Amino acid sequence: MSEQTLLPPGSSVEPEIDAAALSSLIGDIYDAALDHAFWPQVLQNIARFVDGAAAGILSKDSVSKAGNVHHNYGVEPRYLELYHDTYWRFDPLSPLLFSGIGEVTCNRNYVSESEFSEGRFYKEWIRPQGWVDAANVVLEKSSTSFALLSIIRSEAQGPVDDRMRRRVDLITPHMRRSVLIGKVIDLKGAEAAAFSDTLDTVAAGVILFDVDAHIVHTNRAARDMLATGDLIREAGGGLAATDRAADLALREALSAAGHGDAALGTRGIAVPLDARGGGRFVAHILPMTGRGPGDAASHGAAAAMFVHSATLDAPSAPEVIARTYGLTPSELRVLRGVVEAGGVAETAEMLGIGEATVKTHLHRIFGKTDTSRQADLVKLVAGYSSPLSR
Amino acid sequence: MSDEVDAAEVALPVPHDAVQPDDFSALVADIYDTTLEPARWPAVLDACRAFVGGHSANVYAKGVTGLGGQVYHTDGLVGLDYARLYFTHYARIDPTNTGHIFAEIDQPIITADIIDLEEFDKSRVGQEWVRPQGLIDFVSAPIERRGSWAKMFAVFRHERHGYADEATRRRLSLLVPHVRRAVAIGETMRQAQARGDHFAETIDGLASGVFLVDDEGRLVHSNISGRQMLRGDAPIALGSGTARLERIAKNEAVRLLGNAGDAEPSGRDRSLAFETPDGERFVTHVLPLTSGARLAASNGHNAVAALFVQRASRELRSVPEVLARTFGLTPSELRVLLGIVEAGGVAETAEALGIGESTVKTHLHRVFSKTETKRQADLVKLVAAFASPLARRTAP
């Protein structure tokens, strides 16, 4: 697109570009990949290096043309607001969608001088800030949007020139990489956060251990269990069970799992645990194989433990069972009574109704659910129990 | 890493003082590419070696005691054998070791900064490790230090390069901060990846099919059981029920997002049941994922809800050995207990196990007494309560 030609690389060694200064600026650019809060400072350093008055990283939607300034330096908050509210409609940047990634362009590459200077964007947004031109470079494109680096020139600095283009050219590959690296890190972080959230929803306590049986992660239920300390507690970075006998079994299992004991296989093992003050629990230990070439040892988990209460919870959503089998509210109450309280007499007493009534309901329930024994009803309800915490 | 020492370095690009900005910028870009493609390290270090002027460039760690040394990245030009030999025998007696480790981060140190060159040459390290390789000098800088241990970036000089000078030092100092950052960014990425992988593997352990869906109800992740459901692996194949599940995912994503902006977070979990056309019943438990929803606003492709799908089956994934251990059941008693739960009453159990009904009854009474229960339904409850949340898979 550009009519301007850049100096062919290597054609001249510019004495004015100090290698140490360039190196330091490039380093700043990558620091912002790890901590996005550095961007305003980095954009200021970039503006200084290329001789610009303001700079921003923004994205434009390919279809709606909506613009969003992600990071900026040198734009007054008032004008930033004006841009987000109104002036994204009038900026001359949409044609950039068709320019090559990494190609440095300026306003007169997409609009004529007169068209630009007559337009609202120049008159109402650019000129009032004392600016004249901008060097723009597309950093990345997706199917729906493109991201660009825009560096604005003041009246004193004058229109974009070859010197500025050459300098923007030098930092563009690093801007592209830094933005990409930042995205990859964010994406991996978001993925891990979604998985961690998912584990938090599980009713069982989930604890991840490293090879030395130190705790590296706990889900919400496990944190609750550790806080009460009736069942398990943290001891020296590792896990201890209040139940003495179980404690030993647990340590042995964790150690075996952590060291990839083949005997454990992928099936894992289970250890019964008694809580102080009553309550039965079961701990299932799952050895982790890890994925990819990275060794599990240096990056965290070697085994996962699931601790769940060995009591059959009432169904988390009894209405789902009722809807599935067309049970009336009375029938549902009797079903829950049979599962929770026991036989006909116990259910009658719990619900405060006659045994004959319980029996009548029970027979209809058998008919509707295609079962014949109370034991079958317990199984049916168990099938609908939720693995999730409430 | 190659054992072969590629010494076929014919025309040595003698580094001159002037650094060409374009070449330098391109080399630095290559250094940061290793964060996305770690396999590029050998080629990138070879380019660093050429830029600084030297025989071999490496990223490694060592401690003052000389123990626990490790090469992270190498151009392979100092062979694996020599590298190993250094860490097993020579690091601890290297007179320059401590000087290297305690140099300032990012600040290049050459041998002459630490020790008289003649003295170093006469040391065992000089005589037995440096000389036999034709090496003569070494320029290094710490890029990370913890206590008496440091991660270093270093370039070896061969006799044909001569001793390191100010130009060598300056050129290395231009690269060190970038190598330091690239190593740190690479480590951050690996850790984030490993964290996600470990969580995913934990979720893979669950017997329920777990599906994560984005703001438009599109599937962004499924665990092993979930993939088996979709793929049609018996006995949890969704088969033509897949369409039902997809519809649920869409509806729930819309429902949860619709609630996301409410002051009162009503985007609560809920359960839904559906039947496949083949008559198999499935239960879906839907959970909103809070941080996923938060990130979706900025990134667009994140999970906003988790769907836990299970077959509403009456087969219980019990863990018999745990039951036996907890209640002190004999193998015969355990068999009868499981028979009652799976086959049905006394007669069915007797038939299934090929034993007499009176024997079943005898065992059953002992089981009732040991488990403090009195009815067969109680036994089903007991077994269901001990059911494992984990999938049982045979080793691959």
Side-chain angles (χ1 to χ4, degrees):
Chain A
M1 263 183 126
S2 167
E3 294 293 311
Q4 313 278 330
T5 51
L6 294 171
L7 292 174
S11 68
S12 81
V13 175
E14 282 177 57
E16 93 241 39
I17 294 183
D18 174 52
L22 176 63
S23 176
S24 151
L25 176 63
I26 292 172
D28 291 347
I29 291 173
Y30 290 99
D31 275 341
L34 283 178
D35 187 347
H36 302 331
F38 287 151
W39 275 122
Q41 180 62 51
V42 175
L43 288 169
Q44 179 176 5
N45 298 350
I46 288 173
R48 193 179 303 142
F49 179 72
V50 306
D51 202 12
I57 296 173
L58 55 158
S59 60
K60 293 274 291 179
D61 189 282
S62 311
V63 183
S64 71
K65 315 295 182 210
N68 185 18
V69 180
H70 301 290
H71 309 285
N72 83 93
Y73 152 73
V75 185
E76 272 179 50
R78 183 164 55 100
Y79 278 97
L80 200 61
E81 209 174 299
L82 281 172
Y83 179 80
H84 279 140
D85 288 348
T86 313
Y87 289 93
W88 57 267
R89 292 179 187 82
F90 308 118
D91 75 30
L93 300 172
S94 294
L96 270 166
L97 176 61
F98 305 106
S99 81
I101 287 175
E103 188 187 344
V104 184
T105 53
C106 60
N107 292 334
R108 60 182 176 279
N109 292 126
Y110 355 105
V111 286
S112 71
E113 202 74 54
S114 59
E115 196 185 325
F116 182 64
S117 57
E118 292 304 310
R120 283 187 67 185
F121 189 68
Y122 177 77
K123 282 181 165 170
E124 296 169 22
W125 201 81
I126 291 280
R127 199 171 57 188
Q129 300 191 74
W131 297 339
V132 287
D133 198 4
N136 302 311
V137 54
V138 175
L139 301 175
E140 61 167 27
K141 288 181 190 178
S142 75
S143 54
T144 53
S145 68
F146 61 96
L148 66 141
L149 167 67
S150 185
I151 305 155
I152 296 171
R153 294 274 270 203
S154 68
E155 276 162 21
Q157 290 161 334
V160 173
D161 54 19
D162 280 350
R163 182 180 174 280
M164 184 187 192
R165 283 166 184 273
R166 155 122 181 92
R167 286 176 170 243
V168 175
D169 242 10
L170 272 175
I171 59 160
T172 297
H174 304 290
M175 288 296 293
R176 288 183 50 205
R177 273 178 188 76
S178 176
V179 167
L180 179 64
I181 289 168
K183 273 198 152 177
V184 171
I185 292 173
D186 290 351
L187 203 68
K188 286 186 200 294
E191 198 180 67
F195 291 150
S196 165
D197 273 7
T198 306
L199 287 175
D200 275 349
T201 66
V202 176
V206 181
I207 304 174
L208 303 192
F209 297 90
D210 68 10
V211 278
D212 302 319
H214 287 131
I215 297 173
V216 292
H217 182 79
T218 48
N219 76 340
R220 190 177 295 153
R223 286 193 293 276
D224 289 347
M225 289 174 179
L226 290 169
T228 22
D230 288 337
L231 183 67
I232 47 173
R233 61 193 161 76
E234 203 172 332
L239 189 77
T242 8
D243 180 342
R244 279 287 181 82
D247 191 51
L248 188 65
L250 207 59
R251 280 169 198 278
E252 280 170 4
L254 281 173
S255 159
H259 293 94
D261 191 331
L264 275 166
T266 51
R267 187 164 149 267
I269 59 158
V271 177
L273 291 173
D274 280 336
R276 189 171 53 207
R280 282 206 177 88
F281 289 79
V282 183
H284 299 266
I285 292 151
L286 187 75
M288 312 268 276
T289 56
R291 304 171 170 199
D295 60 339
S298 58
H299 291 299
M305 183 171 99
F306 292 72
V307 189
H308 72 94
S309 160
T311 45
L312 181 61
D313 288 337
S316 59
E319 69 279 5
V320 173
I321 299 177
R323 219 179 312 136
T324 304
Y325 298 99
L327 304 183
T328 65
S330 310
E331 286 162 1
L332 182 60
R333 266 199 302 279
V334 168
L335 173 65
R336 293 182 66 173
V338 165
V339 172
E340 283 159 39
V344 172
E346 292 85 346
T347 305
E349 200 193 321
M350 186 180 108
L351 299 178
I353 53 176
E355 291 194 20
T357 317
V358 171
K359 278 186 188 158
T360 311
H361 285 311
L362 201 50
H363 276 104
R364 285 217 204 88
I365 298 170
F366 283 147
K368 287 182 178 179
T369 57
D370 196 19
T371 55
S372 55
R373 304 180 315 134
Q374 294 181 23
D376 291 339
L377 293 181
V378 176
K379 268 201 224 179
L380 183 137
V381 169
Y384 285 83
S385 76
S386 168
L388 309 175
S389 57
R390 271 164 289 132
Chain B
M1 198 182 329
S2 160
D3 243 350
E4 282 294 304
V5 174
D6 180 12
E9 207 176 334
V10 192
L12 185 75
V14 181
H16 47 88
D17 266 325
V19 172
Q20 223 289 326
D22 296 280
D23 296 345
F24 173 67
S25 174
L27 173 57
V28 171
D30 285 346
I31 292 173
Y32 288 103
D33 276 346
T34 60
T35 62
L36 300 165
E37 271 184 83
R40 295 177 64 115
W41 269 113
V44 167
L45 284 173
D46 190 48
C48 290
R49 173 200 65 74
F51 179 84
V52 174
H55 173 67
S56 171
N58 298 276
V59 175
Y60 62 94
K62 60 180 185 174
V64 236
T65 56
L67 301 171
Q70 185 185 355
V71 178
Y72 290 92
H73 309 291
T74 178
D75 53 17
L77 295 171
V78 163
L80 203 57
D81 290 343
Y82 267 112
R84 205 178 288 132
L85 205 57
Y86 181 79
F87 290 121
T88 52
H89 288 80
Y90 294 104
R92 76 185 78 140
I93 54 162
D94 183 347
T96 60
N97 193 32
T98 306
H100 288 150
I101 290 168
F102 287 107
E104 297 250 325
I105 297 284
D106 283 357
Q107 291 306 309
I109 289 275
I110 60 179
T111 308
D113 291 339
I114 306 173
I115 190 172
D116 176 67
L117 289 172
E118 242 171 83
E119 195 186 321
F120 181 68
D121 182 52
K122 283 183 192 142
S123 73
R124 275 189 64 195
V125 176
Q127 290 295 312
E128 297 170 21
W129 197 83
V130 177
R131 268 187 176 232
Q133 297 185 75
L135 301 177
I136 186 171
D137 205 351
F138 185 69
V139 52
S140 73
I143 56 174
E144 187 193 338
R145 189 167 44 233
R146 283 183 211 153
S148 62
W149 171 100
K151 210 180 263 186
M152 325 269 302
F153 170 55
V155 173
F156 288 97
R157 302 270 290 187
H158 193 267
E159 281 159 5
R160 65 182 178 278
H161 303 102
Y163 287 109
D165 56 12
E166 285 313 301
T168 323
R169 201 199 291 270
R170 201 164 64 81
R171 285 184 161 248
L172 191 88
S173 76
L174 281 176
L175 298 186
V176 185
H178 304 295
V179 171
R180 167 172 55 76
R181 260 187 218 91
V183 168
I185 293 173
E187 185 61 22
T188 301
M189 281 197 184
R190 264 190 301 284
Q191 272 169 13
Q193 180 72 48
R195 213 172 122 77
D197 284 352
H198 290 314
F199 291 161
E201 193 179 348
T202 306
I203 294 167
D204 271 348
L206 292 171
S208 302
V210 181
F211 301 93
L212 303 191
V213 298
D214 72 4
D215 51 346
E216 289 178 39
R218 282 179 302 231
L219 182 66
V220 292
H221 180 82
S222 52
N223 72 343
I224 291 180
S225 297
R227 291 197 290 279
Q228 286 171 343
M229 285 179 174
L230 294 179
R231 213 166 45 215
D233 292 1
I236 52 169
L238 275 168
S240 36
T242 305
R244 279 297 309 273
L245 183 64
E246 282 169 358
R247 206 153 54 236
I248 289 174
K250 282 227 156 47
N251 291 343
E252 291 305 302
V254 169
R255 182 180 70 89
L256 292 172
L257 281 188
N259 287 323
D262 292 1
E264 178 75 22
S266 53
R268 295 279 302 278
D269 54 307
R270 68 161 167 183
S271 306
L272 300 150
F274 66 91
E275 199 171 327
T276 68
D278 325 315
E280 244 350 297
R281 288 207 168 88
F282 284 86
V283 197
T284 306
H285 304 279
V286 186
L287 263 300
L289 300 178
T290 46
S291 50
R294 200 170 55 238
L295 290 162
S298 62
N299 229 324
H301 291 288
N302 286 293
V304 296
L307 273 58
F308 283 69
V309 183
Q310 68 198 59
R311 200 166 75 136
S313 76
R314 296 173 200 181
E315 294 139 36
L316 305 171
R317 297 176 308 273
S318 62
V319 190
E321 63 273 19
V322 176
L323 277 169
R325 219 177 318 150
T326 305
F327 299 104
L329 304 180
T330 65
S332 311
E333 287 161 0
L334 181 63
R335 266 199 302 280
V336 167
L337 166 62
L338 297 176
I340 293 287
V341 171
E342 279 154 34
V346 172
E348 292 87 343
T349 304
E351 203 192 319
L353 299 180
I355 52 177
E357 290 196 23
S358 62
T359 314
V360 171
K361 278 185 188 157
T362 311
H363 285 312
L364 192 53
H365 276 104
R366 279 210 212 95
V367 172
F368 280 147
S369 143
K370 284 184 177 177
T371 59
E372 290 170 18
T373 57
K374 49 187 180 177
R375 301 175 317 127
Q376 294 178 21
D378 292 337
L379 294 182
V380 175
K381 244 166 101 170
L382 196 70
V383 172
F386 275 84
S388 167
L390 302 183
R392 296 216 133 185
R393 295 195 180 92
T394 44

